[in-house]
Amino acid sequence: MSSASDSETEWESRYEIHDVPDDARFSECEDGWADDERDEVATVNIPVNQQEGEQCDQFESYTNIHGTSGTDQEGTNYRGLKSMDIVGKEFVSEAEAESFFIEYARVMGFGVRRHNKRWNTKGTLIGRIWVCSRQGFRQKKFLEREDQKREARPITRTGCGVEFRVAIKDDTSLWVCTHFNGNHNHNLTPPHHVHYIRSHQRLSEAYIAAASSLNAVGVRPSQIHEYIVERSGGYMDVGYLRKDVQNRLNYEKRRQLQESDAEACLSYLEGKRSVDPAFYYDFTINEHNRLGDLFWCDGGARADYALFGDVLAFDATYRTNAYRKPFVVLLGINHHRRSIVFGFALLSDETEHTYTWLLQTFLLAMEGKQPKTVITDGDKAMRNAISNKFLEAHHRLCCWHLGRNAQANVNKDFTADFQRCMLRPYTEEQFEVKWKEIVQRHNVESHEWVMKMYREKAMWAEAYLRGKFFGGMRSTQRSEGLNAYLNHYVNIKLRLIAFVKQMDRLIDRQREVEGKDDYDSKEVRPVLITHMKPFEAAATEAYTRAMFRLVRDQILQEGMLIAVEVASEDNSKSFRVKKWKVSEDECRVHIQGTWDTVSCTCLMMETVGIPCSHLFAVMKVENLEVIPRCMILPQWKKEAKVGVTSKVQERCSQYYMSVEARMGSLHAACRTLQRFAAQSSQAYELAITEIHKVSMQLEAMSCKTAKDKPKRHMGRRFEVQDPVIVLTKGCRKKQKMGPLQQRKCRRCGNGGHTVRMCKTHLHRPGDEIDCPTQSSQFMADNTVLLQRRRSAIGKTADECNKINAYDHHYSQPSNNSHAASSNSWYPRFGMSTDNDSIDDTMMQGLIPQYGLPNASTSTFASNYANIWGHNRI
């Protein structure tokens, strides 16, 4: 090859031109398809109320999009093309040539596969070949596999010779078709089956963006495909299958993990911290350099904890991600008395050390502020970690978990009485009396679980928890739908980066619900319905809407109470409040100063944080018209978060919409434009001109943004490997405790090798007999074996089989020609014998009979076989 031009000349000289025969068409019609099928497809989606000219325009727009008429937007009739029309056709680029042949193949009804490429000596691509998808044959070695476990894939190759070649034109950048062969040796695919061909199943970028956005918010791929089918008008008009959507979504997820899952997750968290200085995260690495524990919380959560971080509830759950690691959500309450997330954690295990790290990291993120009360499910590791880190916090066990455990450990009847005793606001003395009655009624005085619960009564009984602020929370919120709430966002197939992003969406949804509550509290005023409208109106102005409902219930209960002053001093007053016609329940209210501080023996103000009905009864006696300021906690006010909204979140809100979401939104908006622009030629010209103009402007903006964007290092930043992925099927395997047992040799008893690699001599000491000849050695070996067989008489079958196995191993390595056959003379014991005699006649059933016709005098072993056959012992 002297030059590139000579190479091109030699290559192009082998091209031939073939006409497409008429019998290669799908049918005998002029355009290759049946008239009734063509008419049926052509009339789809044509409005009947349009005029004749409008129907033609609508049909043209329909066929331009879906190609059912075999004509593209430039007016090319693919079904009418001959080889002489294709050979010599010029294309601007290789991609344009490929698009032309793919569209031709789609219209004609066959698939396309990329074939060979050709470069010149300078490494420049100068030629390209595309062939029919049925070109060639499957290799013979794949058709004759004997180890085939699965059913072989169906054969699709028929040796079709259809070929489309292009080469770059001399002295130009154009590509020209140099050879085209359209002669198929198989039937072509009808139009309504073309979308099943693999090469024509292509998803557009707009559809990919829309599918990614829908999948990110929890829509399943099957539902996404049905949605796209509904928008497109049918399965034929989509152009791909449901499996293609699933494959492309999986590809997009893998593309995001360019380095590793752990690296991508940590880089994402680092990026959030660079945008929001209040964002906090921390992680650990185990001994295998894999990501161990991970904790993170956003800036808004840290601000919320600074205001409402008096109550903390957390629990661990599995099956939330691909690693099946314990997932912990740290919960609290906000000024609307809703549960709000303070932080998330993925833990390596559920040990005391891990929970201690979690609480220590939580304190660092929340700048050392400890909660007043903590609610958990009673896990021992959690309890020990809380007692070590939250020294001043009151630990409460989840009432939902306790109720479930009571039913599992005792019975259903006991559970109802247990829950009543657990949640009723008894005094400590009343609780002791009720508990004894319950235990005696159900006869569970000696029940282990009941005795354990009584020892821990200070952690679950309302009688011992009154006066400790819980904000009305009694559980870890798991019983109120936390797991169901998480299941809208996570599943067991999510990797780390996708899992963290879904948690961000969960936080965004909570912030949206909280914003709606703020709007309702500030802009909407409830109707006053109580008999103490001044107090009710004051509560409306002060409390949020959710807290107002609780206060209003206490105002309504005040109507049944009677308050009487019992003591009055210089700076304090005391009142006795009881229910009308009920003398047993009585509370004492104490007022200090001019309503500077108040207290009630029911302890509702200290436990829930709202004034009780007893306080409203005293306020009525004292002729007050407003609620004293000491009775309204700052965290229950409407203005609780005024001035503390994170400015970083406001600044970042404009970047919330992802690129995929923008593409999906633009695609939806452009469909309306396509519908109106395709109505007529004038509308089409106007739309296409404006689209080109806007595209040039956006391209200039994109180039400027890319030029100004600083380059950053894309290498690994943390050098952290991914955690071990746990299989989603079956239960988790428990880790074995203690050192691994070493495999030992069954011959010598030593470890580190098996019986095959054992170097111990094969015979026992004393069994070796020094024989000068081969015959004497043979007789000596078999004599030893027979003596051992005699000793086996009267033993069990297992003992005899052990002897046989021992003899088998001893006889294997012998170099004599009789070694292999001598061991076969002694079959394994099939049954035990009760005969204790050691008579030699018992060996007759153990030694096979070898007749003279089978004997041979060619070998020494055969001669001795004849001797043993006639002279049985």
Side-chain angles (χ1 to χ4, degrees):
M1 185 180 297
S2 59
S3 62
S5 60
D6 296 337
S7 176
E8 296 174 8
T9 304
E10 295 175 359
W11 189 51
E12 294 175 359
S13 62
R14 298 193 299 270
Y15 287 359
E16 300 177 358
I17 301 176
H18 300 275
D19 291 333
V20 181
D22 295 335
D23 56 358
R25 304 287 181 175
F26 183 76
S27 65
E28 299 179 357
C29 299
E30 180 180 358
D31 57 355
W33 310 106
D35 291 338
D36 54 345
E37 293 185 358
R38 181 188 59 182
D39 295 339
E40 180 181 359
V41 174
T43 57
V44 172
N45 291 343
I46 299 180
V48 296
N49 56 352
Q50 292 182 348
Q51 300 296 329
E52 182 177 358
E54 295 177 349
Q55 291 182 359
C56 295
D57 295 337
Q58 175 69 18
F59 176 71
E60 291 178 1
S61 64
Y62 178 82
T63 54
N64 289 341
I65 297 175
H66 304 284
T68 55
S69 66
T71 305
D72 63 355
Q73 296 181 359
E74 298 180 356
T76 303
N77 185 8
Y78 290 97
R79 294 201 180 101
L81 291 177
K82 301 291 185 179
S83 295
M84 62 185 65
D85 301 327
I86 299 178
V87 175
K89 184 176 178 62
E90 296 181 349
F91 306 96
V92 177
S93 62
E94 175 197 357
E96 183 181 353
E98 183 179 30
S99 301
F100 168 80
F101 187 62
I102 290 177
E103 183 62 20
Y104 171 80
R106 189 189 65 79
V107 173
M108 298 302 298
F110 66 93
V112 176
R113 190 175 73 251
R114 292 170 180 158
H115 202 49
N116 297 334
K117 292 182 179 181
R118 189 173 181 86
W119 290 268
N120 58 13
T121 55
K122 300 179 181 179
T124 304
L125 183 65
I126 60 175
R128 186 69 186 270
I129 303 177
W130 292 270
V131 296
C132 176
S133 60
R134 299 194 178 187
Q135 180 267 348
F137 298 93
R138 184 175 298 179
Q139 297 185 18
K140 188 177 181 180
K141 63 180 181 180
F142 297 111
L143 300 176
E144 299 178 354
R145 291 184 57 180
E146 297 180 356
D147 57 342
Q148 188 80 25
K149 295 183 179 179
R150 298 182 179 179
E151 182 181 358
R153 291 185 300 173
I155 297 177
T156 58
R157 303 289 184 91
T158 62
C160 182
V162 171
E163 194 174 77
F164 176 71
R165 300 187 183 184
V166 295
I168 193 168
K169 199 172 183 179
D170 298 338
D171 301 331
T172 62
S173 59
L174 298 178
W175 292 73
V176 61
C177 178
T178 58
H179 172 73
F180 175 73
N181 179 14
N183 187 8
H184 295 271
N185 64 352
H186 56 87
N187 294 331
L188 299 180
T189 305
H192 56 279
H193 287 167
V194 170
H195 62 285
Y196 298 133
I197 301 177
R198 183 178 180 181
S199 60
H200 302 314
Q201 297 173 357
R202 298 194 176 188
L203 282 76
S204 63
E205 294 298 328
Y207 279 143
I208 295 171
S212 300
S213 299
L214 292 173
N215 186 247
V217 297
V219 183
R220 295 191 297 270
S222 59
Q223 296 174 331
I224 295 174
H225 185 64
E226 296 297 328
Y227 166 71
I228 297 176
V229 169
E230 181 67 20
R231 288 178 49 180
S232 302
Y235 289 95
M236 291 179 55
D237 300 328
V238 173
Y240 48 85
L241 306 178
R242 182 174 62 182
K243 187 63 177 177
D244 299 328
V245 179
Q246 178 68 62
N247 293 339
R248 188 53 187 265
L249 291 176
N250 294 337
Y251 168 76
E252 293 296 330
K253 294 177 181 178
R254 292 193 301 268
R255 188 171 60 87
Q256 295 178 359
L257 305 178
Q258 297 180 358
E259 298 174 353
S260 70
D261 192 19
E263 289 280 343
C265 177
L266 296 178
S267 299
Y268 176 79
L269 296 178
E270 183 67 23
K272 289 182 66 68
R273 184 167 64 177
S274 63
V275 177
D276 185 0
F279 184 86
Y280 182 89
Y281 80 97
D282 195 6
F283 64 95
T284 62
I285 304 175
N286 59 20
E287 63 275 9
H288 302 293
N289 198 32
R290 295 184 180 274
L291 182 65
D293 305 314
L294 177 64
F295 171 81
W296 76 97
C297 64
D298 61 0
R302 298 181 69 182
D304 291 336
Y305 186 76
L307 294 173
F308 318 112
D310 294 331
V311 182
L312 183 65
F314 63 96
D315 188 15
T317 180
Y318 284 94
R319 300 183 65 85
T320 55
N321 53 80
Y323 304 101
R324 299 274 291 275
K325 302 177 67 175
F327 177 55
V328 178
V329 182
L330 302 172
L331 289 172
I333 50 178
N334 62 359
H335 55 310
H336 299 286
R337 202 168 171 264
R338 288 184 178 273
S339 298
I340 188 170
V341 176
F342 291 150
F344 303 103
L346 281 170
L347 305 181
S348 55
D349 50 32
E350 291 185 278
T351 60
E352 179 181 347
H353 174 75
T354 302
Y355 282 115
T356 302
W357 174 87
L358 170 61
L359 298 182
Q360 178 65 31
T361 308
F362 177 76
L363 290 177
L364 293 176
M366 303 308 175
E367 300 178 355
K369 180 183 178 181
Q370 294 193 5
K372 295 180 180 179
T373 53
V374 182
I375 307 175
T376 66
D377 60 355
D379 183 78
K380 186 177 180 180
M382 289 184 185
R383 184 181 306 180
N384 295 336
I386 291 171
S387 61
N388 293 332
K389 290 301 177 181
F390 295 158
L391 303 179
E392 301 178 357
H394 301 285
H395 189 188
R396 179 171 188 167
L397 301 181
C398 175
C399 63
W400 183 82
H401 285 88
L402 290 178
R404 186 182 62 174
N405 295 339
Q407 184 171 352
N409 289 277
V410 189
N411 54 55
K412 186 176 181 181
D413 296 334
F414 174 81
T415 302
D417 293 337
F418 174 77
Q419 290 179 339
R420 190 179 302 108
C421 189
M422 174 176 56
L423 301 177
R424 288 288 179 88
Y426 296 131
T427 62
E428 295 183 8
E429 294 77 10
Q430 292 174 343
F431 172 81
E432 295 295 338
V433 175
K434 294 292 183 181
W435 180 260
K436 291 181 180 180
E437 293 178 358
I438 293 173
V439 171
Q440 293 177 0
R441 185 185 308 124
H442 297 279
N443 194 19
V444 291
E445 295 89 344
S446 59
H447 197 283
E448 182 179 357
W449 185 86
V450 175
M451 293 188 296
K452 177 185 176 183
M453 287 295 100
Y454 181 74
R455 291 193 299 268
E456 299 176 354
K457 58 185 176 181
M459 301 180 64
W460 54 266
E462 190 71 23
Y464 294 90
L465 295 173
R466 292 170 59 195
K468 301 176 179 63
F469 181 76
F470 287 95
M473 293 182 64
R474 293 176 173 176
S475 67
T476 60
Q477 301 301 313
R478 181 179 180 178
S479 60
E480 298 179 10
L482 177 60
N483 282 353
Y485 190 62
L486 291 175
N487 288 335
H488 290 289
Y489 298 91
V490 298
N491 56 69
I492 57 178
K493 296 182 180 180
L494 287 182
R495 305 293 288 270
L496 276 177
I497 178 63
F499 184 81
V500 173
K501 289 183 177 181
Q502 289 300 97
M503 291 302 102
D504 284 346
R505 293 183 179 275
L506 184 146
I507 289 292
D508 292 336
R509 180 176 176 180
Q510 279 201 331
R511 295 289 183 264
E512 174 65 19
V513 174
E514 184 178 350
K516 182 62 168 59
D517 289 337
D518 288 338
Y519 173 81
D520 293 339
S521 297
K522 296 178 181 179
E523 304 296 335
V524 179
R525 294 180 179 272
V527 178
L528 304 180
I529 61 174
T530 66
H531 61 285
M532 302 176 66
K533 289 184 172 52
F535 291 145
E536 187 179 5
T540 303
E541 297 294 332
Y543 291 103
T544 59
R545 192 175 184 181
M547 299 307 300
F548 164 75
R549 294 192 181 99
L550 299 179
V551 175
R552 183 176 60 184
D553 293 339
Q554 296 299 318
I555 297 176
L556 290 172
Q557 295 178 16
E558 184 275 335
M560 298 294 294
L561 299 178
I562 300 174
V564 179
E565 183 178 353
V566 295
S568 178
E569 298 179 358
D570 296 337
N571 199 27
S572 63
K573 291 182 181 181
S574 297
F575 294 84
R576 183 179 63 185
V577 183
K578 65 177 183 178
K579 199 171 184 180
W580 183 54
K581 291 187 178 182
V582 179
S583 58
E584 291 79 8
D585 296 336
E586 180 179 288
C587 294
R588 292 294 184 97
V589 176
H590 183 73
I591 303 173
Q592 188 71 25
T594 57
W595 294 89
D596 298 330
T597 58
V598 296
S599 61
C600 181
T601 55
C602 71
L603 299 178
M604 176 175 284
M605 190 68 194
E606 291 78 7
T607 305
V608 184
I610 60 174
C612 60
S613 58
H614 312 105
L615 293 178
F616 282 107
V618 175
M619 284 189 284
K620 184 175 67 173
V621 173
E622 291 292 306
N623 295 321
L624 297 182
E625 295 184 357
V626 295
I627 301 176
R629 184 177 300 177
C630 63
M631 295 186 185
I632 304 177
L633 294 185
Q635 58 189 13
W636 300 141
K637 293 182 179 180
K638 296 180 180 179
E639 297 80 9
K641 297 187 66 173
V642 174
V644 297
T645 304
S646 177
K647 296 182 179 180
V648 178
Q649 289 182 340
E650 294 179 355
R651 184 170 67 251
C652 297
S653 61
Q654 56 181 331
Y655 302 106
Y656 172 77
M657 183 178 289
S658 62
V659 176
E660 292 80 6
R662 295 192 190 100
M663 291 185 64
S665 178
L666 290 173
H667 174 67
C670 289
R671 289 189 62 84
T672 304
L673 184 144
Q674 293 175 2
R675 183 170 66 254
F676 290 109
Q679 298 295 327
S680 62
S681 300
Q682 294 81 3
Y684 171 78
E685 294 295 337
L686 176 61
I688 203 67
T689 302
E690 296 297 328
I691 288 175
H692 285 306
K693 184 185 300 184
V694 175
S695 299
M696 295 178 63
Q697 296 176 358
L698 297 178
E699 184 179 1
M701 294 174 58
S702 177
C703 294
K704 182 179 180 180
T705 305
K707 182 178 180 181
D708 298 338
K709 184 177 181 180
K711 297 181 179 180
R712 65 174 183 174
H713 180 63
M714 297 301 293
R716 297 176 66 90
R717 304 177 61 185
F718 300 95
E719 299 294 339
V720 180
Q721 299 181 8
D722 300 344
V724 178
I725 298 180
V726 181
L727 297 178
T728 57
K729 293 184 178 180
C731 62
R732 296 183 295 114
K733 294 183 179 180
K734 296 183 179 180
Q735 188 176 5
K736 295 182 179 180
M737 304 300 294
L740 297 177
Q741 295 182 357
Q742 187 180 17
R743 189 174 182 181
K744 296 182 180 181
C745 176
R746 61 181 177 180
R747 176 180 298 162
C748 64
N750 298 327
H753 67 277
T754 60
V755 67
R756 295 183 179 180
M757 304 298 296
C758 185
K759 298 181 180 180
T760 305
H761 199 273
L762 299 178
H763 295 287
R764 296 178 180 175
D767 287 351
E768 296 86 6
I769 301 178
D770 188 11
C771 300
T773 63
Q774 182 180 14
S775 59
S776 58
Q777 177 66 40
F778 174 81
M779 294 298 296
D781 291 341
N782 286 277
T783 301
V784 173
L785 293 174
L786 285 175
Q787 292 176 356
R788 195 173 298 118
R789 294 294 180 175
R790 289 192 183 97
S791 63
I793 299 177
K795 297 182 180 295
T796 62
D798 293 337
E799 294 174 346
C800 296
N801 289 333
K802 291 181 180 179
I803 296 176
N804 278 326
Y806 188 86
D807 297 338
H808 172 72
H809 291 300
Y810 273 16
S811 61
Q812 286 294 328
S814 177
N815 295 326
N816 298 332
S817 60
H818 62 273
S821 61
S822 61
N823 185 62
S824 64
W825 289 359
Y826 305 99
R828 296 176 60 89
F829 280 72
M831 58 181 296
S832 62
T833 176
D834 296 334
N835 193 350
D836 296 333
S837 174
I838 57 173
D839 188 4
D840 292 343
T841 57
M842 294 297 300
M843 300 299 295
Q844 295 180 4
L846 305 179
I847 304 176
Q849 299 182 7
Y850 290 88
L852 289 176
N854 296 331
S856 175
T857 58
S858 60
T859 61
F860 200 85
S862 301
N863 295 333
Y864 275 91
N866 297 333
I867 295 174
W868 283 76
H870 290 283
N871 302 292
R872 303 173 187 168
I873 299 176

